[in-house]
Amino acid sequence: MRYTEIIEDLRSAPFVRLFLPLALGVTFQVQLFQVKPSITPVCLALLFVLIATHKLNLSYSRRWCFGVVLYLFLFFTGIALVQNIKTESDYPVGRSIYVEAVVNDAPVKGDRFTKLNVLASAYSDSLNTWRKVEEKMIFYLRIDSSKVAPRMGDKILTRLTLSPLPAAKNPYEFDYGAYLKQRQIFSSAFINSDSYVIISSGNTPLWRVFPTAVSSYLLNYFSKQGLQGDELAVLQALTIGDKSLLNSDLKQLYMDTGAMHILAVSGMHVGIISMILGWLLVFMKKQKYGILLRGLLILVFIWLYAVVAGLSPSILRATIMFSIVTIGGMLNRHTNTYNSLTFSAFLICALDPYSLFDAGFQLSYAAVISIVFFYPYIYHCLNFRRWLPDALWSLVAVAIAANIGTLPVAVYLFHQLPVHFILTNVLSTLPTMAAMGGFLATLIFVHFPISQVGWFCANFTGYSIKALNGSIRFVEGLPYARIEALWLTSLQAWLLMLSIVMLALFIWTRKTKLVLLALTLFSACLCLRIATKYEQAHQKMLTVYSVKNASLITLVNGRAGFALCDSADLSNTFDFNVKNHMVSLGFAGLKSLERIALQDIGSEKFQHYNVYKNFINFAERTVKILHDEKLHNPHQPLPVDYLILTSQCKLKPEQVLAMYHPQLFIIDASVSAREVARFKRVLTTHGLPFHNVRENGAFIQNF
């Protein structure tokens, strides 16, 4: 490609150039330096210079001045956007207060608690003086069948004690607290049924109530037509993005086969609806003003779907993108897809800068950009005269193109690679399109005068969902369905991503040096991966994990190891807490280790692990686990390197220290707060070092 052609392509996509400095500014503030002084005055000064530079009508040789000032303005604007987001609560934490709040979303019922997302409007230490402060919170209401729980839109008055959001306590664990803080939620509280009163109802605006009401009505209608269990759960996730009905096995099934994107409402779903409507309304192209009317109908329906789906960030960015493409078609103008994509990304980041670090945002844009770029090249590698093989090859090309772009992000985030992703996409595309079309038809005809029309649409949707689940289960049952325990560091992921970018630039420009650069970057990533494997083969590590009210201890030697846990928790995978750390060690979670109940570690059958009577000899260190320990009186305390206390030890601190003298005392997460306080006082008095896993996070010792 000639230089002039490349410049012309870049000029047709101005938002590609505008989005990059804004994204760099956001990344600079969030991930790197976190500038404290307000940068807003700098933005205002640059805006003044930008306007002045534009008015000066600079000569052609100095035209770059305007571009430099514009890029600096966008870069500092990205920093300012992050700075202007609230980072801490305005409500007092740790003391009892009265709070007035409105239930902002539909309550989510669990086994023991009902989760309420609320918008607090005021608080007070007494009922006389109130301070008005708006802030989002989460209340966990203890379920009581004798009292009616609040509903969406109810205003409640409650007395509670707010708690800060918990931080991640284990290495590489998903930090749910940080995730909520990015969504401007800084505190939570547990409330009883007798500690609140409903003071009014109907306080939620219509635009917030409408999506929930419509989606609930449709799902109830589908349920009455016989759609239950996994089918209803998948339909709810597929159409409105609500995964609350999905059980862990069903989520894992879709994740293992590389089909999780189907359940994450995004550009694919909006694209399918737009495509179906385009097919149904194609006859309007021949009518006068038909193109305009057709475009307006498509816009109305995709935005109606976006509202029903709750206007999530993924839906919003996809709807904006397809709206721009549709409007361009209505005006008979060609729209640059890259420009439309980056315009939607620019708008989303301007509204919510933290969206840039959302996994859905990254995967969605990586997939769409990769499809737009790589699909034509892959598709034209083979030519078929028959429509069926041509259609199948088109699906294969789309699957390959999408996975080229998402590979680094997906492996970095999920640490696994579906082997049969091409087959998954081929088999799931038609049922997904049918289900989306059936859902759209049901939305339109649910109140059609002829009731059989709505019944037919709902049942067609149900059978489509069953076919989708069946195809996913078929792929999952194939041998070698996935490669697990793929650990990439952020540096390795960036090197892999940059090598793909260099490959794309080579295809675009035909510059052979870019191939060498791509191979160099990929080789560097591969070398770092080999170094990681070498470290894993020679690792020796003792870990006491922080799992709420449970004991979990692992000992890893190279690529082998075992886990000690409560007998009641042998069936618990603890994936949420420890899987990422286990993957970083080269294991596909705790399932790769032999699980041993703590009450059984005195048995002879575990001597091959050097485990005997709660003593473990590991890496020339002695580890003693205080679990169901019996009192005895030695002549002097027995020296041990690590002494681990569990909740099943009923001895007093003084009795334990009379029996053992540890180099380090470890209190695991199963021990109650009261017992922790008792042991901490005694250990501090004796001057013994200790590590409290519940408060300080997981204990990790490398040997």
Side-chain angles (χ1 to χ4, degrees):
M1 179 176 285
R2 292 178 300 178
Y3 177 77
T4 53
E5 293 175 340
I6 295 174
I7 295 299
E8 190 60 34
D9 284 344
L10 290 174
R11 284 177 177 171
S12 64
F15 273 98
V16 174
R17 307 193 304 275
L18 296 177
F19 173 71
L20 290 177
L22 181 74
L24 285 174
V26 171
T27 305
F28 183 90
Q29 179 65 15
V30 174
Q31 300 284 356
L32 300 177
F33 293 98
Q34 298 181 352
V35 179
K36 297 296 182 183
S38 176
I39 213 75
T40 303
V42 178
C43 294
L44 294 175
L46 285 170
L47 180 61
F48 175 78
V49 175
L50 188 66
I51 296 172
T53 306
H54 179 70
K55 294 293 185 181
L56 287 175
N57 293 322
L58 298 175
S59 62
Y60 183 79
S61 61
R62 295 181 179 178
R63 68 191 185 282
W64 56 268
C65 295
F66 179 80
V68 170
V69 176
L70 176 61
Y71 290 163
L72 286 173
F73 169 72
L74 290 172
F75 175 79
F76 285 106
T77 298
I79 296 176
L81 286 172
V82 178
Q83 285 185 334
N84 291 328
I85 295 176
K86 190 165 73 169
T87 58
E88 58 184 18
S89 176
D90 291 325
Y91 279 70
V93 175
R95 75 171 192 257
S96 181
I97 57 173
Y98 292 96
V99 174
E100 187 179 88
V102 175
V103 181
N104 223 18
D105 293 314
V108 180
K109 291 185 177 180
D111 296 332
R112 298 171 54 202
F113 300 96
T114 296
K115 179 182 176 183
L116 304 175
N117 290 310
V118 304
L119 179 63
S121 56
Y123 76 91
S124 174
D125 293 320
S126 66
L127 290 175
N128 299 323
T129 306
W130 288 84
R131 181 182 176 189
K132 293 186 176 181
V133 180
E134 283 199 351
E135 187 171 300
K136 292 189 287 185
M137 298 177 183
I138 296 177
F139 292 167
Y140 294 97
L141 172 64
R142 291 178 175 85
I143 293 176
D144 185 354
S145 57
S146 64
K147 186 173 182 179
V148 177
R151 296 176 297 178
M152 183 176 177
D154 289 351
K155 179 181 284 188
I156 63 175
L157 176 65
T158 179
R159 187 174 180 86
L160 48 76
T161 301
L162 290 172
S163 301
L165 298 173
K169 296 294 181 66
N170 298 292
Y172 309 117
E173 180 183 348
F174 175 68
D175 195 338
Y176 185 60
Y179 170 81
L180 290 177
K181 286 178 181 178
Q182 290 181 0
R183 282 147 184 80
Q184 301 295 282
I185 300 174
F186 305 102
S187 55
S188 63
F190 289 88
I191 58 176
N192 297 314
S193 58
D194 58 353
S195 63
Y196 75 92
V197 291
I198 300 175
I199 55 179
S200 65
S201 300
N203 294 283
T204 304
L206 180 62
W207 67 271
R208 290 295 310 276
V209 177
F210 177 74
T212 304
V214 173
S215 58
S216 297
Y217 178 81
L218 284 173
L219 291 172
N220 287 332
Y221 181 79
F222 279 109
S223 181
K224 291 178 182 179
Q225 302 305 321
L227 206 63
Q228 299 292 337
D230 289 352
E231 284 74 28
L232 186 63
V234 170
L235 175 67
Q236 181 170 306
L238 175 69
T239 53
I240 63 174
D242 184 356
K243 302 182 182 67
S244 60
L245 295 181
L246 292 173
N247 57 51
S248 57
D249 292 337
L250 197 57
K251 287 181 182 179
Q252 195 63 43
L253 173 69
Y254 273 79
M255 186 176 294
D256 291 344
T257 54
M260 198 62 189
H261 65 280
I262 295 174
L263 303 182
V265 175
S266 59
M268 181 188 76
H269 302 72
V270 180
I272 288 174
I273 290 178
S274 180
M275 182 174 60
I276 291 173
L277 290 171
W279 286 345
L280 294 175
L281 302 176
V282 69
F283 67 92
M284 298 182 68
K285 285 186 174 182
K286 298 180 181 179
Q287 308 296 323
K288 186 177 182 181
Y289 304 116
I291 293 178
L292 289 175
L293 184 58
R294 176 175 175 267
L296 285 174
L297 287 173
I298 292 174
L299 287 174
V300 168
F301 274 104
I302 63 175
W303 277 101
L304 176 62
Y305 171 70
V307 171
V308 171
L311 287 175
S312 64
S314 58
I315 279 291
L316 190 59
R317 59 178 171 259
T319 307
I320 291 173
M321 184 187 71
F322 280 98
S323 297
I324 293 170
V325 174
T326 302
I327 292 171
M330 292 166 61
L331 300 176
N332 200 24
R333 293 182 180 178
H334 171 71
T335 56
N336 187 300
T337 307
Y338 299 106
N339 197 51
S340 301
L341 279 169
T342 48
F343 172 70
S344 63
F346 187 95
L347 188 59
I348 292 294
C349 282
L351 295 173
D352 181 12
Y354 284 107
S355 293
L356 189 64
F357 309 100
D358 182 75
F361 181 96
Q362 296 170 1
L363 288 170
S364 177
Y365 278 101
V368 175
I369 292 173
S370 187
I371 290 171
V372 171
F373 183 84
F374 287 107
Y375 169 75
Y377 297 101
I378 298 172
Y379 174 72
H380 288 105
C381 288
L382 296 175
N383 294 312
F384 296 95
R385 295 183 179 180
R386 304 285 184 180
W387 73 269
L388 182 58
D390 183 70
L392 291 175
W393 171 240
S394 178
L395 292 176
V396 171
V398 168
I400 295 173
N403 279 272
I404 289 174
T406 59
L407 178 66
V409 181
V411 174
Y412 176 72
L413 292 174
F414 305 117
H415 317 300
Q416 63 181 23
L417 179 65
V419 175
H420 308 306
F421 66 89
I422 294 177
L423 184 60
T424 299
N425 282 272
V426 170
L427 294 179
S428 64
T429 298
L430 189 59
T432 302
M433 293 179 64
M436 293 297 298
F439 177 80
L440 181 64
T442 306
L443 178 64
I444 297 171
F445 295 114
V446 67
H447 285 302
F448 200 67
I450 304 175
S451 60
Q452 284 79 3
V453 175
W455 172 87
F456 174 80
C457 294
N459 279 271
F460 176 79
T461 305
Y463 283 114
S464 300
I465 294 293
K466 289 179 180 179
L468 174 62
N469 286 347
S471 63
I472 298 300
R473 288 191 175 95
F474 168 76
V475 174
E476 197 270 340
L478 296 175
Y480 308 107
R482 62 190 178 276
I483 302 173
E484 295 185 296
L486 287 175
W487 180 259
L488 287 183
T489 64
S490 56
L491 176 59
Q492 292 169 10
W494 272 112
L495 289 172
L496 184 56
M497 177 65 78
L498 289 174
S499 66
I500 293 173
V501 172
M502 292 302 108
L503 177 63
L505 290 175
F506 161 72
I507 295 173
W508 185 36
T509 64
R510 301 298 181 184
K511 300 290 185 180
T512 54
K513 291 182 179 179
L514 293 171
V515 177
L516 296 176
L517 183 55
L519 290 174
T520 301
L521 292 169
F522 181 77
S523 299
C525 176
L526 190 60
C527 290
L528 290 174
R529 176 69 181 158
I530 293 171
T532 300
K533 282 291 186 182
Y534 178 82
E535 291 177 359
Q536 291 173 350
H538 295 83
Q539 64 192 350
K540 288 186 179 182
M541 182 182 296
L542 164 67
T543 307
V544 182
Y545 289 102
S546 180
V547 180
K548 187 176 181 180
N549 300 326
S551 297
L552 180 60
I553 304 163
T554 62
L555 295 103
V556 171
N557 187 359
R559 294 190 174 92
F562 62 98
L564 304 170
C565 51
D566 299 332
S567 58
D569 293 320
L570 282 174
S571 60
N572 194 329
T573 62
F574 297 113
D575 278 350
F576 180 83
N577 304 95
V578 308
K579 186 173 182 179
N580 286 347
H581 184 237
M582 295 303 301
V583 172
S584 73
L585 303 179
F587 300 94
L590 286 177
K591 64 184 179 181
S592 300
L593 303 180
E594 182 176 354
R595 307 275 292 276
I596 304 172
L598 283 169
Q599 66 184 26
D600 297 332
I601 60 175
S603 174
E604 297 286 340
K605 63 181 179 180
F606 299 119
Q607 282 191 349
H608 60 285
Y609 284 127
N610 293 326
V611 178
Y612 186 68
K613 291 187 177 180
N614 293 345
F615 282 93
I616 305 172
N617 186 10
F618 182 77
E620 299 180 354
R621 304 294 196 283
T622 302
V623 180
K624 170 64 179 179
I625 300 176
L626 295 171
H627 184 87
D628 196 21
E629 188 75 13
K630 305 299 182 184
L631 179 63
H632 61 275
N633 297 308
H635 295 293
Q636 59 182 9
L638 181 67
V640 293
D641 293 294
Y642 302 99
L643 188 60
I644 303 175
L645 176 70
T646 73
S647 61
Q648 295 303 308
C649 177
K650 305 305 180 183
L651 300 179
K652 297 179 180 179
E654 294 81 1
Q655 294 173 328
V656 171
L657 296 183
M659 296 161 57
Y660 302 102
H661 180 76
Q663 295 295 318
L664 179 65
F665 197 101
I666 303 168
I667 307 172
D668 86 352
S670 68
V671 182
S672 67
R674 182 179 178 182
E675 285 297 304
V676 169
R678 288 177 59 191
F679 272 88
K680 285 173 65 175
R681 282 196 303 269
V682 175
L683 291 169
T684 302
T685 302
H686 285 74
L688 289 174
F690 62 89
H691 182 98
N692 180 14
V693 170
R694 184 189 289 265
E695 294 179 0
N696 306 121
F699 171 78
I700 301 175
Q701 181 62 57
N702 289 288
F703 301 103

